[in-house]
Amino acid sequence: MASKAVWMRCGLMAGLIVCAVAMLNTGLSAADTAPGRDPKQPVDEAYTAKIAKYTTEPYFTSPLVNYLPASKTVPTPEAVLGDVAGAPGILPYSAQVYQYMRMLEKASPRVKVFSIGRTEEGREMIAVAVSSEANLAHLDENRAKLAKLADPRTIHLNDADADKIVDDAVPVYYITGTIHSTETGAPTALMELAYRLAVDDSRYIQDIRNHVITLITPIVEVDGRDRMVDLYRWHLAHPQENYPPLLYWGHYVAHDNNRDAMAMTLKLSQNVLNTFVGWDAQVLHDLHESVPYLYDNTAGDGPFNAWVDPILTNEWEILGWRNVQDMTKFGMPGVFTHGEFDTWSPGYLMFFAALHNGISRLYETFGNGGADTEERTLQPDEYSRTWWRQNPPLQKVLWSQRDNNNYEETGLLTSLHFFSDNRAMFLKNFYLKAKRSVTKPEAEGPAAYVLPANDPRLGAQAELLNVLRLQHCEISRATSAFSVTVPVQKTSDHRKSSGEATGEKSEKKAEATAKTKTVDFPAGSYIIRMDQPYSRIADALLDYQYWSPDDPQKTPYDDTGWTFGELFNVKVVRVTDTKVLDAPMERVTTVAPPSGVSGTGTVFAINNNADTALATLRYKLKDAQIEAAEEPFDADGHKFNRGSFLVHGASSDDLRHAVSDLGLKAYGLGAMPSVKTHPVRAARVAILHTWLSTQTEGWWREALDFMHVPYDYISTQTVAKEADLNSKYDVILFPPVGRFVSPDLIINGLSTDWGNPLPWKNTPETPNIGKLDSTDDTRPELGWDGVAHLQNFVKHGGVLVTVMDTANLAVALGLTHGVTVAHTPRERIIGSVVRADIVDSTSPIAYGYGDQLSVYCFNGPAFDVSNIAGRGGFRRLGPEINGRPTGRGTLSDPDFVVGRQNEAAIEEPKVEPWQAEPVTNEELRNGVGVIPPAERPRVIFRYADSHDLLVSGLVEGGDEMAQHAAIVDVPMESGHVVLFSNNPIYRGETRGSYSLVLNTILNFDSLNAGRKLDKQ
Ligand SMILES: [Zn+2]
């Protein structure tokens, strides 16, 4: 093991890349530039000839994949495809890919297929293990060894014991393909890769086969794959016509399925993580196809995620640069690492590995979105030579799916070979990363996160803990009360200081100087210990993020903040005091909030803490009468918040079952409390989508499905046709279309004057398409009829919920008297968590919420409100608010005019930026533009003051957004348009703000409750 000796000399210090280069001289030979085939093994000549035929340039392949070894017993991909992998015009369905993998399993003892779960639409997901017969025969023993490295507590963190295991364990390299359904090449590349690994007797492949278990999930997004194949077949059948873009990649979302690695809402995330963790794999290598020709983007630009182990970030560089080096030697152009991608957000699928002590990797190769061979012309930023791309892609090429498969397979094989050669180092690193995760409390902190038992939002707390459970984190619960010392935060820090959750002992005065204070936690509090192997993922999700506006990275690749405690509206205390680990506690495997029915009576009260389960309950107890209290009240010794439910007419058995399932507590009352109420009805809800993009609304469908809130799923075309929307719906939710979609596209769609119809329909030709929704032609959108129908719907009592770009649209269309969108050119809030302050807690939209709420914002529109139709936010000439003109006196001691008696000035009312200026007497003189008080916009939440706005992530130019209205209820005749500047339902991460939408739904016909009208 010469390479290992090199590593030992270098140690794990800064010279890792130098070491990697040094290794070239020790571990590899000249054969490396042209790895030798086994001369005794015949080549499948016909297959090999077709590989050459479909490869468009000799330098778009490598000695590793420009032939296929023959086998008398093992079928090649041709057996299923009818041609070679990557052949033009051939895109296999998932069933064909699985059929082939199972043929391999049958024909070779070196292949085993495992079912790893189902998708949302019930399709199977698989993982295919390829390794030597011996390795596959001893999978369980090997897994037991890897498990000890994965959890070093089992060997008492003993490095010598770890070294023994490292010496004879076989590592697992997990490859995942086609998470993005429009990126179509991976399945055929992985079919052929599996064949090569099982059959090829060259020294190069034997090295991999004997020393690595290659685990392959050929298709991650199976639902979307089958639809993409449908679409491609439709294209082949109509070669002269345009074809529609793939509208539903997965059941819910498109490329955001690769942003679910935090909240784990999708089946594919759960299945892949369970597989990665279940196998104790070392690498998760995810295949994408959007960059020419091979971009290993794991070694991207900064900033790197702050919670990953530097051992990992160095591994990224080692693997990435070595990959580039190997393929450069093969003469393949356009292979590079580094590049613009930053590795800050942990939302990507590959990040399962990064935060579970493995190695995350991601390839972007070059795909044509189908299997056509096409001329491709690149943009300058794609073909230019940079320091990290010395051999860039060509400006113009003929590109085939086979070329793409050549790059994918060559990259993977060189990676597998290098990994195999250095398996001892990578296994030892795997152990070291796990060990450093376990020793985190002393080494770096924190020691634990505590979720206190006295949090009023125990439902949301349980949901957050369940996300951590899905992440395979260990969760403990305190069996008695305990206390810890926490640092006192400076007042300029987050207003919700960590001690606020519970009883603090330090004196108010002393607090100003004290550096620490004692915090008590009650029994039943949950503790996420940081001395566990998967501490890093918990830390990354629960901690705060700060992205400096001065960061050299000016274009964050994705969200910059995600703090889960804030977005779930749950109290989470970061504890560095290691004493917390000595608190009496027990491990728990399930988490459910305390629930049940206490007391008896004809009326049952359920407190409102903005718990999403309340909406589920409303729809579950269809026949029960439920009222919402419009004011807080006390009953039988319990305090109830505004919006609390008063249930009658439900059988106590039904109620008991429902609240137990949902984690709610109901209190039987002797009589209806004397508080003003209104009915909470099970509104008829529609989610409105365009045919432009279905991703962002997909998260809304996911959330409503998850909460069992029923809805109809309708398109802008339905709205354009349906004149009487009120006969079908009470509430229409119009989630964001997408960040850059213009009102023009939402209203006009694509012109039907040119091109051909673009159907999205279920037909024998496209059996997987058109099941969620369908149309003969996706080009038309809302149209002016649709706009009129929506307006009519609202005027007749309907509620239209609009969000970010659809809120902009509602304002632009004149559906919201008195609201304008402020111009915010300097604002940069890139997927950040920001603070909103409550303005009107009597609004049903705010039921259950406190004074502040953290919300997700992506450069959301900043609303201004006015009582005068058509007038923007108040920007007046003359002195600034609370200012005065130049003259005698001080700011508060006013001016005088020489030579006359000076009367005290009439005091101008103080107006905050989120408020409308009160209507003046002057404006009421022939007040044609004055909006009647009952029709004026009602601001429910506003963005916090500038210095308080940032919770997590990047906020630049925040003063432009600060204090502006964030959530506005705009009445129109009998109905309402509700505007959200934030996205309240996003990626399963914003569960703390879901109830803003649910409240709107449940109180749709009483949204004016609590409203105080202006006098004039
Ligand atoms: Zn992709």
Side-chain angles (χ1 to χ4, degrees), residues 509-565:
K509 271 184 188 169
E511 202 177 293
T513 48
K515 289 206 171 74
T516 59
K517 64 187 174 190
T518 303
V519 178
D520 297 329
F521 293 105
S525 295
Y526 287 97
I527 301 167
I528 314 296
R529 301 177 65 103
M530 291 290 108
D531 57 352
Q532 58 169 306
Y534 299 145
S535 60
R536 286 185 202 283
I537 178 62
D539 197 17
L541 295 182
L542 300 175
D543 208 349
Y544 287 79
Q545 292 78 44
Y546 180 76
W547 183 304
S548 166
D550 297 327
D551 194 282
Q553 176 63 267
K554 292 300 175 199
T555 51
Y557 196 82
D558 204 74
D559 290 340
T560 58
W562 52 82
T563 309
F564 267 45

Coordinates of all heavy atoms in Angstrom, one line a residue, residues 509-565:
K509 N -30.9 43.3 36.2 CA -29.8 44.3 36.3 C -28.5 43.6 36.0 O -27.6 44.0 35.3 CB -29.8 45.0 37.6 CG -30.7 46.3 37.6 CD -30.5 47.0 38.9 CE -31.5 48.1 39.0 NZ -31.6 48.7 40.3
A510 N -28.3 42.5 36.7 CA -27.1 41.8 36.6 C -26.8 41.3 35.2 O -25.7 41.1 34.7 CB -27.1 40.6 37.6
E511 N -27.9 41.0 34.5 CA -27.8 40.5 33.2 C -27.0 41.3 32.2 O -26.3 40.9 31.3 CB -29.3 40.3 32.6 CG -29.3 39.3 31.5 CD -30.8 39.1 31.1 OE1 -31.6 38.6 31.9 OE2 -31.1 39.5 29.9
A512 N -27.1 42.6 32.5 CA -26.4 43.6 31.6 C -24.9 43.3 31.6 O -24.2 43.5 30.6 CB -26.6 45.0 32.1
T513 N -24.4 42.8 32.7 CA -22.9 42.6 32.8 C -22.6 41.1 32.8 O -21.5 40.7 32.4 CB -22.4 43.2 34.1 OG1 -23.2 42.8 35.2 CG2 -22.3 44.7 34.0
A514 N -23.5 40.2 33.2 CA -23.2 38.8 33.3 C -23.0 38.2 31.9 O -23.6 38.7 30.9 CB -24.4 38.1 34.0
K515 N -22.1 37.3 31.8 CA -21.8 36.7 30.5 C -22.6 35.4 30.3 O -22.9 35.0 29.2 CB -20.3 36.3 30.4 CG -19.4 37.6 30.3 CD -18.1 37.2 29.6 CE -17.3 38.4 29.2 NZ -16.6 39.0 30.4
T516 N -23.1 34.8 31.5 CA -23.9 33.6 31.3 C -25.1 33.7 32.3 O -25.1 34.6 33.2 CB -23.1 32.4 31.8 OG1 -22.6 32.6 33.1 CG2 -21.9 32.2 30.8
K517 N -26.0 32.9 32.0 CA -27.2 32.8 32.9 C -27.6 31.3 33.0 O -27.3 30.5 32.1 CB -28.3 33.7 32.4 CG -28.8 33.3 31.0 CD -29.8 34.3 30.5 CE -30.2 33.9 29.1 NZ -31.0 34.9 28.4
T518 N -28.4 31.0 34.0 CA -28.9 29.7 34.1 C -30.3 29.5 33.5 O -31.1 30.4 33.7 CB -28.9 29.3 35.6 OG1 -27.6 29.5 36.2 CG2 -29.3 27.8 35.8
V519 N -30.5 28.5 32.8 CA -31.8 28.3 32.2 C -32.3 26.9 32.7 O -31.6 25.9 32.7 CB -31.7 28.3 30.7 CG1 -33.1 28.0 30.1 CG2 -31.2 29.6 30.2
D520 N -33.5 26.9 33.2 CA -34.2 25.6 33.6 C -35.0 25.1 32.5 O -35.7 25.8 31.8 CB -35.1 25.9 34.8 CG -34.3 26.4 36.0 OD1 -33.1 26.1 36.1 OD2 -34.8 27.2 36.8
F521 N -35.0 23.8 32.4 CA -35.8 23.1 31.4 C -36.7 22.1 32.2 O -36.2 21.3 33.0 CB -35.0 22.3 30.4 CG -34.3 23.3 29.5 CD1 -32.9 23.4 29.6 CD2 -34.9 24.0 28.5 CE1 -32.2 24.3 28.8 CE2 -34.2 24.9 27.7 CZ -32.9 25.0 27.8
P522 N -38.0 22.0 31.9 CA -38.8 21.0 32.6 C -38.6 19.6 32.1 O -38.1 19.4 31.0 CB -40.2 21.5 32.2 CG -40.1 22.3 31.0 CD -38.7 22.9 31.0
A523 N -39.0 18.7 32.9 CA -39.0 17.2 32.5 C -39.8 17.1 31.2 O -40.8 17.9 31.0 CB -39.6 16.4 33.6
G524 N -39.4 16.2 30.4 CA -40.1 16.0 29.1 C -39.6 16.9 28.0 O -40.0 16.7 26.8
S525 N -38.6 17.7 28.3 CA -37.9 18.5 27.2 C -37.1 17.5 26.3 O -36.6 16.6 26.8 CB -37.0 19.6 27.8 OG -37.7 20.5 28.5
Y526 N -37.1 17.9 25.1 CA -36.3 17.0 24.1 C -34.9 17.5 24.0 O -34.6 18.7 24.0 CB -37.0 17.0 22.8 CG -38.3 16.1 22.8 CD1 -39.5 16.8 22.9 CD2 -38.2 14.8 22.7 CE1 -40.7 16.0 22.9 CE2 -39.4 14.0 22.7 CZ -40.6 14.6 22.8 OH -41.7 13.9 22.9
I527 N -34.0 16.6 23.9 CA -32.5 16.9 23.9 C -31.9 16.2 22.6 O -32.1 15.0 22.5 CB -31.8 16.4 25.1 CG1 -32.4 17.1 26.4 CG2 -30.3 16.7 25.0 CD1 -32.0 16.5 27.7
I528 N -31.3 17.0 21.8 CA -30.6 16.4 20.7 C -29.1 16.5 21.1 O -28.5 17.6 21.0 CB -30.8 17.2 19.4 CG1 -32.3 17.5 19.1 CG2 -30.2 16.5 18.2 CD1 -33.2 16.3 18.9
R529 N -28.6 15.4 21.5 CA -27.2 15.3 21.9 C -26.3 15.5 20.7 O -26.5 14.9 19.7 CB -26.9 14.0 22.6 CG -27.8 13.7 23.8 CD -27.5 12.3 24.4 NE -26.1 12.2 24.9 CZ -25.8 12.3 26.2 NH1 -26.8 12.3 27.1 NH2 -24.5 12.2 26.6
M530 N -25.2 16.2 20.9 CA -24.2 16.4 19.8 C -23.1 15.3 19.9 O -22.2 15.4 19.1 CB -23.6 17.8 19.9 CG -24.6 18.9 19.5 SD -25.1 18.9 17.7 CE -26.8 18.3 17.8
D531 N -23.2 14.4 20.9 CA -22.2 13.4 20.9 C -22.7 12.1 20.3 O -22.6 11.0 20.8 CB -21.7 13.1 22.4 CG -22.9 12.7 23.3 OD1 -24.0 12.8 22.8 OD2 -22.6 12.3 24.4
Q532 N -23.3 12.3 19.1 CA -23.8 11.2 18.3 C -23.2 11.3 16.9 O -22.8 12.3 16.4 CB -25.3 11.2 18.3 CG -25.9 12.5 17.7 CD -27.4 12.3 17.4 OE1 -27.8 11.4 16.7 NE2 -28.2 13.2 18.0
P533 N -23.2 10.1 16.2 CA -22.6 10.2 14.9 C -23.2 11.1 13.9 O -22.5 11.7 13.0 CB -22.7 8.7 14.4 CG -22.9 7.9 15.6 CD -23.6 8.8 16.6
Y534 N -24.5 11.4 14.0 CA -25.1 12.3 13.0 C -25.4 13.6 13.6 O -26.4 14.3 13.4 CB -26.3 11.6 12.4 CG -26.1 10.3 11.7 CD1 -27.0 9.3 11.7 CD2 -24.9 10.2 11.0 CE1 -26.7 8.1 11.0 CE2 -24.6 9.0 10.3 CZ -25.5 8.0 10.3 OH -25.2 6.8 9.6
S535 N -24.5 14.1 14.5 CA -24.7 15.4 15.1 C -24.7 16.5 14.1 O -25.3 17.6 14.3 CB -23.7 15.6 16.2 OG -22.4 15.6 15.7
R536 N -23.9 16.4 13.1 CA -23.7 17.5 12.2 C -25.0 17.9 11.4 O -25.2 19.1 11.2 CB -22.6 17.2 11.2 CG -21.3 17.3 11.9 CD -20.0 17.2 11.0 NE -19.0 16.8 11.9 CZ -18.3 17.6 12.7 NH1 -18.6 18.9 12.7 NH2 -17.4 17.2 13.5
I537 N -25.8 17.0 11.0 CA -27.0 17.4 10.3 C -28.0 18.1 11.3 O -28.6 19.1 10.9 CB -27.7 16.1 9.6 CG1 -29.0 16.6 8.9 CG2 -28.0 15.0 10.6 CD1 -28.8 17.5 7.8
A538 N -28.0 17.6 12.5 CA -28.9 18.4 13.5 C -28.4 19.8 13.7 O -29.1 20.7 13.7 CB -29.0 17.6 14.8
D539 N -27.1 19.9 13.8 CA -26.5 21.2 14.0 C -26.7 22.1 12.8 O -27.1 23.3 13.0 CB -24.9 21.0 14.2 CG -24.3 22.2 14.9 OD1 -25.0 23.1 15.4 OD2 -23.0 22.3 14.8
A540 N -26.6 21.6 11.6 CA -26.8 22.4 10.4 C -28.2 22.9 10.3 O -28.5 24.0 9.8 CB -26.4 21.6 9.2
L541 N -29.2 22.0 10.7 CA -30.6 22.4 10.6 C -31.0 23.4 11.7 O -31.8 24.3 11.4 CB -31.5 21.2 10.6 CG -31.3 20.2 9.4 CD1 -32.3 19.1 9.6 CD2 -31.5 20.9 8.1
L542 N -30.5 23.2 12.9 CA -31.0 24.0 14.0 C -30.2 25.3 14.3 O -30.7 26.2 14.9 CB -31.0 23.1 15.3 CG -31.8 21.8 15.2 CD1 -31.6 21.0 16.4 CD2 -33.3 22.1 14.9
D543 N -29.0 25.4 13.7 CA -28.2 26.6 14.0 C -28.7 27.8 13.1 O -29.6 27.6 12.3 CB -26.7 26.2 13.7 CG -25.8 27.1 14.5 OD1 -26.2 28.0 15.2 OD2 -24.6 26.8 14.5
Y544 N -28.1 28.9 13.3 CA -28.3 30.1 12.5 C -27.3 30.2 11.4 O -26.1 29.8 11.6 CB -28.3 31.3 13.4 CG -29.5 31.4 14.3 CD1 -29.6 30.7 15.4 CD2 -30.6 32.2 13.9 CE1 -30.8 30.7 16.2 CE2 -31.8 32.3 14.7 CZ -31.8 31.5 15.9 OH -33.0 31.6 16.6
Q545 N -27.7 30.9 10.3 CA -26.8 31.1 9.2 C -26.6 32.6 9.0 O -27.5 33.4 9.2 CB -27.4 30.6 7.9 CG -27.5 29.0 7.8 CD -28.7 28.5 8.6 OE1 -29.8 29.0 8.6 NE2 -28.4 27.5 9.4
Y546 N -25.4 33.0 8.7 CA -25.1 34.4 8.3 C -24.3 34.4 7.0 O -23.2 33.8 7.0 CB -24.3 35.0 9.5 CG -24.0 36.5 9.1 CD1 -25.0 37.4 9.2 CD2 -22.7 36.9 8.7 CE1 -24.7 38.8 8.9 CE2 -22.5 38.2 8.3 CZ -23.5 39.1 8.4 OH -23.2 40.4 8.0
W547 N -24.8 35.1 6.0 CA -24.1 35.2 4.8 C -23.8 36.7 4.6 O -24.7 37.6 4.5 CB -25.0 34.8 3.6 CG -24.4 34.8 2.3 CD1 -23.8 35.9 1.7 CD2 -24.2 33.8 1.3 NE1 -23.3 35.6 0.4 CE2 -23.5 34.3 0.2 CE3 -24.5 32.4 1.3 CZ2 -23.2 33.5 -0.9 CZ3 -24.2 31.6 0.2 CH2 -23.5 32.2 -0.9
S548 N -22.5 37.0 4.7 CA -22.1 38.4 4.6 C -22.5 39.1 3.3 O -22.2 38.5 2.2 CB -20.6 38.5 4.9 OG -20.2 39.8 4.5
P549 N -23.0 40.3 3.3 CA -23.3 41.0 2.1 C -21.9 41.3 1.3 O -22.0 41.5 0.1 CB -23.9 42.3 2.5 CG -24.5 42.0 3.9 CD -23.6 41.0 4.5
D550 N -20.8 41.2 2.0 CA -19.5 41.4 1.4 C -18.9 40.1 0.9 O -17.7 40.2 0.5 CB -18.6 42.1 2.4 CG -19.1 43.5 2.8 OD1 -19.7 44.2 1.9 OD2 -18.9 43.9 4.0
D551 N -19.6 39.0 1.1 CA -19.0 37.8 0.6 C -18.6 37.9 -0.8 O -19.4 38.4 -1.6 CB -20.0 36.6 0.8 CG -19.3 35.3 0.7 OD1 -19.0 34.8 -0.4 OD2 -19.0 34.7 1.8
P552 N -17.4 37.4 -1.2 CA -17.0 37.4 -2.6 C -18.0 36.7 -3.5 O -18.1 37.0 -4.7 CB -15.6 36.7 -2.6 CG -15.3 36.3 -1.2 CD -16.4 36.8 -0.3
Q553 N -18.7 35.7 -3.0 CA -19.7 35.0 -3.8 C -20.9 36.0 -3.9 O -21.6 36.1 -2.9 CB -20.0 33.7 -3.1 CG -21.1 32.9 -3.8 CD -20.8 32.5 -5.2 OE1 -21.1 33.1 -6.1 NE2 -20.1 31.3 -5.2
K554 N -21.1 36.5 -5.1 CA -22.2 37.5 -5.2 C -23.5 36.8 -5.7 O -24.6 37.5 -5.8 CB -21.8 38.6 -6.2 CG -20.7 39.5 -5.6 CD -21.2 40.2 -4.3 CE -20.0 41.0 -3.7 NZ -20.2 41.3 -2.3
T555 N -23.4 35.6 -6.1 CA -24.6 34.9 -6.7 C -24.9 33.6 -5.9 O -24.5 32.5 -6.4 CB -24.5 34.6 -8.2 OG1 -23.2 34.0 -8.4 CG2 -24.5 35.9 -9.0
P556 N -25.4 33.7 -4.7 CA -25.7 32.5 -4.0 C -26.5 31.5 -4.9 O -27.4 31.9 -5.6 CB -26.5 32.9 -2.8 CG -26.2 34.4 -2.7 CD -25.9 34.9 -4.0
Y557 N -26.0 30.2 -4.9 CA -26.6 29.2 -5.7 C -28.1 28.9 -5.3 O -28.9 28.5 -6.1 CB -25.8 28.0 -5.8 CG -26.1 27.0 -6.9 CD1 -25.6 27.3 -8.2 CD2 -26.9 25.9 -6.7 CE1 -25.8 26.4 -9.2 CE2 -27.2 25.1 -7.8 CZ -26.7 25.3 -9.0 OH -27.0 24.5 -10.1
D558 N -28.3 29.0 -4.0 CA -29.6 28.6 -3.5 C -29.9 29.4 -2.2 O -29.3 30.5 -2.0 CB -29.7 27.1 -3.3 CG -31.2 26.6 -3.3 OD1 -31.7 26.5 -4.4 OD2 -31.7 26.3 -2.3
D559 N -30.8 28.9 -1.4 CA -31.2 29.7 -0.2 C -29.9 29.9 0.7 O -29.0 29.1 0.7 CB -32.2 28.9 0.6 CG -33.5 28.8 -0.1 OD1 -33.8 29.7 -1.0 OD2 -34.3 27.9 0.2
T560 N -30.0 31.0 1.4 CA -28.8 31.4 2.2 C -29.1 31.1 3.7 O -28.2 31.1 4.5 CB -28.4 32.8 2.1 OG1 -29.5 33.7 2.3 CG2 -27.9 33.1 0.6
G561 N -30.4 30.9 4.1 CA -30.8 30.7 5.5 C -31.9 29.7 5.6 O -32.7 29.6 4.6
W562 N -32.0 28.9 6.7 CA -33.0 27.9 6.8 C -33.3 27.5 8.2 O -34.1 26.6 8.5 CB -32.6 26.6 6.0 CG -31.2 26.2 6.4 CD1 -30.8 25.4 7.5 CD2 -29.9 26.5 5.8 NE1 -29.5 25.2 7.6 CE2 -28.9 25.8 6.5 CE3 -29.6 27.1 4.6 CZ2 -27.6 25.9 6.2 CZ3 -28.2 27.2 4.2 CH2 -27.3 26.6 5.0
T563 N -32.7 28.2 9.2 CA -32.9 27.8 10.6 C -34.2 27.2 11.0 O -35.2 27.8 11.0 CB -32.6 29.0 11.5 OG1 -31.4 29.6 11.1 CG2 -32.6 28.6 13.0
F564 N -34.2 25.8 11.2 CA -35.5 25.1 11.3 C -36.3 25.5 12.5 O -37.5 25.5 12.5 CB -35.2 23.6 11.3 CG -35.3 23.0 9.9 CD1 -34.7 23.7 8.8 CD2 -36.0 21.9 9.6 CE1 -34.8 23.2 7.5 CE2 -36.1 21.4 8.3 CZ -35.5 22.0 7.3
G565 N -35.7 25.8 13.7 CA -36.5 26.2 14.8 C -37.3 27.4 14.5 O -38.5 27.6 14.9

